[in-house]
Amino acid sequence: MKAKIFILLMCICGLSKAQVNNDITRKFDFVQGDKILVLENFSQDQLGDFPAKWSTNSGGEIVALNGEKWFNFGKNGVFIPHVINNLPDNFTFEFDVTSSANFNFYSNPLSFAIAELAKPSTDYVKWKQFNRLGRNGIEIGIHPKSVSTSNSKGTTNYQIYNNGNYGDKNKAIQNEFVSDVKATVHVSIWRQKNRLRVYLNQEKIWDLPTAFVQDKKYNSILFQTGNFKKEEDKYYINNLRLAVGDPDTRHQLINEGKFVSSGILFDVNSANIKSESLGLIKAIAVILQENPTVKIKIIGHTDSDGEEKTNLKLSVQRAEALKKMLSADFGIEAARMQTDGKGESVPVMPNTSEINKANNRRVEFVKIK
């Protein structure tokens, strides 16, 4: 009934479903970091094994879901990736989460924390459930089911800790991580010094201006699980990405004449733009809207995987896709934008690792004089 009323209101107001979704997208302000520091997709791990670059006081294993490797967390545990041992004051951190079907409301949420750990290899266990001794950091929880009988919502909460003492906390309903409706969600975390923003897909669930305590050295990211009401209740994660945040798009593009970023992501071997990149694209669009005489060239780059001719073609297609989006979705005149592609021919670093390859997959925005 609610859905029918919503559609009726859209018709009365002259709004299509696509227009409503576009309005939601326009509010998405997450801007990915432009230099990648860590990537983790468990490609080096064997199915059935615990991931080699992680530690836990519980258990877990790598499993195959839809042709990809995912990390299945054990219950009542803390899980820490040792590839993350330093965090800048401005960073973005992203990952994908999915849950098992028919997840039980009485199972615990999946929590993740940004923490200060004196000895990460051992101190991470201080973040086990029901223990707060010595904690410094902020913990965010997400759950794919609320108490609502409709089961069309999930929940989220946060808790700040300072030297083991409780600080601010809150809980809320969220719409993007919902068992049997939207069981898979992309989580985006953006720290800008003391401010923390957390998103589930394009929904901002928390915006906390004083989440981080001054002079604390936050250096670790970890995950926590509690008890599961049913043995079949599971959480899985994949595609972790840590990058230096707070790219100065305005200064670099307008004053320096160029802005380069690896934060605009595309599907593999495709020019389809990933939705988590929309905040950064919007930031570029705003600059162009505020500077109507500025013209730019959009230049795509790829890594060296695949054939050189194919990569060259793909880089051009990706530049064209960005031009099309800036024009169609943000009203930037097509005549103000040129496109080009360099394929794999101009790497910024050797294509010898997954991180290097990811940084080579980039887009340049160059101001045309």
Side-chain angles (χ1 to χ4, degrees), residues 346-365:
V346 192
V348 291
M349 52 188 65
N351 284 287
T352 53
S353 69
E354 289 301 318
I355 294 177
N356 286 8
K357 290 178 183 180
N359 281 307
N360 284 333
R361 297 191 294 268
R362 66 197 189 279
V363 179
E364 292 183 72
F365 298 86

Side-chain angles (χ1 to χ4, degrees), residues 157-209:
N157 66 278
Y158 79 87
Q159 174 72 65
I160 296 174
Y161 300 92
N162 185 10
N163 296 326
N165 297 314
Y166 290 124
D168 292 343
K169 64 178 180 179
N170 204 350
K171 58 184 178 180
I173 295 294
Q174 51 84 12
N175 304 292
E176 293 298 315
F177 182 42
V178 184
S179 176
D180 307 321
V181 180
K182 299 178 181 179
T184 301
V185 66
H186 185 78
V187 181
S188 304
I189 301 167
W190 187 5
R191 180 192 178 185
Q192 289 178 298
K193 296 188 176 179
N194 292 337
R195 183 179 183 181
L196 177 68
R197 285 174 277 194
V198 182
Y199 310 77
L200 301 182
N201 293 334
Q202 279 75 58
E203 178 185 15
K204 185 190 293 183
I205 58 170
W206 299 113
D207 193 343
L208 310 172

Side-chain angles (χ1 to χ4, degrees), residues 74-338:
K75 63 182 180 181
N76 293 317
V78 185
F79 308 83
I80 184 169
H82 292 302
V83 288
I84 300 174
N85 49 37
N86 186 38
L87 295 171
D89 287 344
N90 296 284
F91 71 84
T92 61
F93 181 64
E94 303 166 71
F95 57 94
D96 294 327
V97 177
T98 192
S99 67
S100 53
N102 301 311
F103 203 90
N104 193 284
F105 170 75
Y106 294 101
S107 290
N108 286 116
L110 174 66
S111 296
F112 45 93
I114 302 169
E116 179 191 60
L117 301 179
K119 295 180 179 180
S121 61
T122 56
D123 289 352
Y124 74 92
V125 295
K126 293 180 179 179
W127 286 80
K128 64 183 179 182
Q129 196 177 34
F130 306 123
N131 176 59
R132 62 184 174 89
L133 182 65
R135 283 189 182 185
N136 283 298
I138 178 167
E139 180 181 20
I140 302 100
I142 54 174
H143 196 290
K145 189 161 288 187
S146 71
V147 72
S148 169
T149 55
S150 68
N151 292 326
S152 62
K153 305 285 185 180
T155 61
T156 180
N157 66 278
Y158 79 87
Q159 174 72 65
I160 296 174
Y161 300 92
N162 185 10
N163 296 326
N165 297 314
Y166 290 124
D168 292 343
K169 64 178 180 179
N170 204 350
K171 58 184 178 180
I173 295 294
Q174 51 84 12
N175 304 292
E176 293 298 315
F177 182 42
V178 184
S179 176
D180 307 321
V181 180
K182 299 178 181 179
T184 301
V185 66
H186 185 78
V187 181
S188 304
I189 301 167
W190 187 5
R191 180 192 178 185
Q192 289 178 298
K193 296 188 176 179
N194 292 337
R195 183 179 183 181
L196 177 68
R197 285 174 277 194
V198 182
Y199 310 77
L200 301 182
N201 293 334
Q202 279 75 58
E203 178 185 15
K204 185 190 293 183
I205 58 170
W206 299 113
D207 193 343
L208 310 172
T210 57
F212 297 95
V213 178
Q214 198 74 22
D215 299 326
K216 296 293 182 184
K217 183 60 177 177
Y218 301 93
N219 58 352
S220 300
I221 292 176
L222 42 84
F223 296 82
Q224 308 108 302
T225 59
N227 193 33
F228 294 130
K229 182 69 174 180
K230 302 184 302 180
E231 284 297 323
E232 56 266 35
D233 287 347
K234 306 289 184 182
Y235 289 118
Y236 310 84
I237 66 165
N238 194 7
N239 300 318
L240 287 75
R241 182 184 189 273
L242 174 68
V244 176
D246 198 28
D248 188 359
T249 54
R250 184 179 305 274
H251 173 76
Q252 291 181 26
L253 184 56
I254 299 303
N255 297 333
E256 298 180 9
K258 180 190 289 189
F259 172 68
V260 184
S261 179
S262 299
I264 297 178
L265 305 181
F266 301 84
D267 289 342
V268 177
N269 298 324
S270 168
N272 184 52
I273 302 168
K274 287 182 174 288
S275 59
E276 53 262 36
S277 304
L278 295 177
L280 178 52
I281 297 171
K282 183 176 75 171
I284 294 166
V286 169
I287 294 171
L288 296 175
Q289 290 166 353
E290 294 176 348
N291 297 271
T293 63
V294 170
K295 297 181 179 181
I296 62 169
K297 178 181 282 189
I298 306 169
I299 307 171
H301 297 266
T302 70
D303 60 31
S304 63
D305 289 351
E307 297 183 358
E308 185 175 352
K309 289 183 179 179
T310 302
N311 287 334
L312 180 60
K313 180 180 179 180
L314 180 60
S315 66
V316 174
Q317 291 172 338
R318 288 176 170 178
E320 286 287 344
L322 285 168
K323 175 182 176 178
K324 182 178 180 180
M325 175 175 282
L326 287 167
S327 178
D329 293 353
F330 297 99
I332 308 302
E333 295 179 11
R336 296 173 58 190
M337 297 177 284
Q338 300 178 13

